[in-house]
Amino acid sequence: MAFGKLTILGEGSEFDEVELTKPTTSIGRQPGNDIVLNTSAVSRYHAQFDVAEGKVFLVDLGTVNGTFVNDRQIEPNSRRPLSDGDVIMMGDVQIIYHIPTTRFRAIDIEASLAPSTTTFDDPHVPIRLIVDDPQQPVAPGSHSQLVMIIHNRSDSDRVFTIETGGMDAEWVKVNRREAHLEPDEQTEIMFSIRPPRSISTRPGLYPLSIRVAFKDDPRQGIDVTREVEIAGFAGVAIAAHDGKQAGHYHLAIQNQGNMPADLRVEGYQRERLLQYKFNPPRLRLEPGETAQVDVRVRPVVGRPFRRARQISFAIVVRSLDKACYWAPLPARYTIAPSWPAWLAGLSLPLILLGGLVTLVLVAGLFFLGIVPMPSLWGGDNETAAATESIPPTWTLAPIPTSTIIPTPVVSIVDFQAQPTEVDFGLIGLVVFSWRIESPSSVAGYTLMDNTTGQILVIAPEHWSTGRLVVSVGTLASAFGWDRHDYTLTITGTDGVERSRTAAVTIRPVICTLNEDTEILPFPDVNAVPVPVVLADIPQIAIGGRTSDGHWLQVWNIVEHRELGWVLTEQASCPSGVAIENFVIVEATSQTTLEP
């Protein structure tokens, strides 16, 4: 239960090893420090080791001789994160810091998940604590629970207070902060640890300090420290927009995980009709960092002769670590038509021949008198005089008629959808809300998905509330994932319509399948497998689950179509995505999603 270990080198070959088991460990020559160094070259209160943000920091307390890490001095009253093997100098004392070894591994099949406990007591304090040992890392966005038993060993009724520290206070919730116990009575206290899914939640060991004391005498208490390991998670956001030239795209990639990410950018098109060039093809991003990638796409074969052709493809960002996750971005490439080479070679002679024929035809018309020859010196005077005697003809322009545009009796002040991004296949709700002027003059409401043409019915009882709640399953069941623009149209009693638009982006939950997975047309192990080559599908999306959670519905990520069903244990989904959070899908001939 240590956040690190210090090797303190003495004279000759002597050394001491000290484990860092507290959130804050003080060091200096003054008795009372957690680590006492018997040398005048060290200040009385020289430095301290703080555990925070999943790391161990060394803090110099404004010493005279200074504190050095790898021959570089730390600024007074500032802190520096320590890495494995760092050499620390305090006066004439050399200290080597070692990171703790991880006790639990996800790949360790021999690791026991049975809960274990540790007992804490003090012969001078009539309190006994039995506290769970953390069994496995906590993924940001999920939660873990620890149970502590308080045993009142005194001979009277006592009230106990429970205080926590070390970790961020928002991460730790306690079911109660006080407990009243009779002599020899015990009670359970529940701690819920829930780190947020954020790039600022860095992976590593965090201290959870617990103090249990008598309420009427806070000096009598027991301090407990549990080390909680926060796991790392991966996440990538991709956005693209067209460049100035055809087939040129600008890609923005952001690391939304809490660990550094080594990534490769690739292109995927099932028929292999396109070839790609990425600059750069590989990149390394720190948590929260964004990078730009230029993408050029061109067809493998020649251009079509008569009409343009659109080809669907995906830009895929793939991690190069052991997780090997994929993040696709659907896109389209348009191949413009082109003339064949033999026609381009004949175009110039045809143009010259056409011009010569035109000149010969015009000369023939003048020669035969069909078209009068224009005078080069102003023309015949008589003709000119006759022309001047003809009174001019005036053409009156039509007088425009005015159109009266009626003033609408209602108008939309605001229309929005929350949230603007949801996950396909997961349980969730989208709330459409609006505000209008003169609601009593409304004759009808219409809410339409411009992307698909789907009409969402707004019942009259929702007109006055200005709020419509729709399940994500209803929005995405027939149309998959994409950006959906919803237009709210309100018709007033005067017949005038007013509209506003809000957007909702539906994202797929990307998972991978085991190599030996068989995709079945419906959730039955005896069904004939669907003829699908998994090698052609680098990743799939989850559309939902059966009510018992044993089966998952899978979709083709590129073609936006349902593939069939697989057993739950055959799919690997991102950390933090629980099976019970998927919507329930009824496996019928026409699949429907339950809200």
Side-chain angles (χ1 to χ4, degrees), residues 203-248:
L205 293 177
Y206 288 75
L208 173 59
S209 59
I210 304 171
R211 177 172 176 79
V212 178
F214 294 122
K215 185 175 182 179
D216 56 355
D217 187 2
R219 293 173 300 176
Q220 292 194 60
I222 294 181
D223 294 299
V224 175
T225 300
R226 303 277 80 185
E227 59 178 22
V228 179
E229 184 175 356
I230 304 300
F233 70 91
V236 173
I238 316 171
H241 63 87
D242 296 338
K244 295 182 179 180
Q245 301 177 357
H248 188 198

Side-chain angles (χ1 to χ4, degrees), residues 403-414:
T403 301
I404 300 176
I405 301 176
T407 302
V409 297
V410 295
S411 61
I412 304 176
V413 178
D414 180 52

Side-chain angles (χ1 to χ4, degrees), residues 407-413 434-445 463-464 490-494 496 498:
T407 302
V409 297
V410 295
S411 61
I412 304 176
V413 178
W434 58 86
R435 291 191 300 114
I436 65 172
E437 292 182 352
S438 304
S440 59
S441 302
V442 175
Y445 282 79
W463 293 6
S464 58
I490 297 180
T491 305
T493 54
D494 55 354
V496 178
R498 285 294 180 266

Side-chain angles (χ1 to χ4, degrees), residues 424 513 517-524 527-532 534 537 540-546 550-557 560-568 570-571 585-588 591:
F424 172 74
L513 298 178
T517 300
E518 291 185 339
I519 300 178
L520 306 179
F522 46 86
D524 187 347
V528 179
V530 177
V532 174
L534 292 182
I537 308 175
I540 50 92
I542 301 298
R545 64 178 176 90
T546 55
H550 294 163
W551 294 85
L552 294 176
Q553 183 194 53
V554 295
W555 286 58
N556 188 308
I557 188 67
H560 288 221
R561 63 180 179 86
E562 179 190 348
L563 292 174
W565 295 81
V566 299
L567 290 170
T568 300
Q570 295 175 329
V585 179
E586 296 296 336
T588 61
T591 303

Side-chain angles (χ1 to χ4, degrees), residues 18 45 55 101 193 322 370 386 398 414 434 450 482 536 577:
V18 179
Y45 299 97
K55 300 179 181 179
T101 57
I193 304 170
K322 294 182 179 179
I370 298 175
D414 180 52
W434 58 86
N450 299 333
D482 206 343
D536 294 336
V577 178

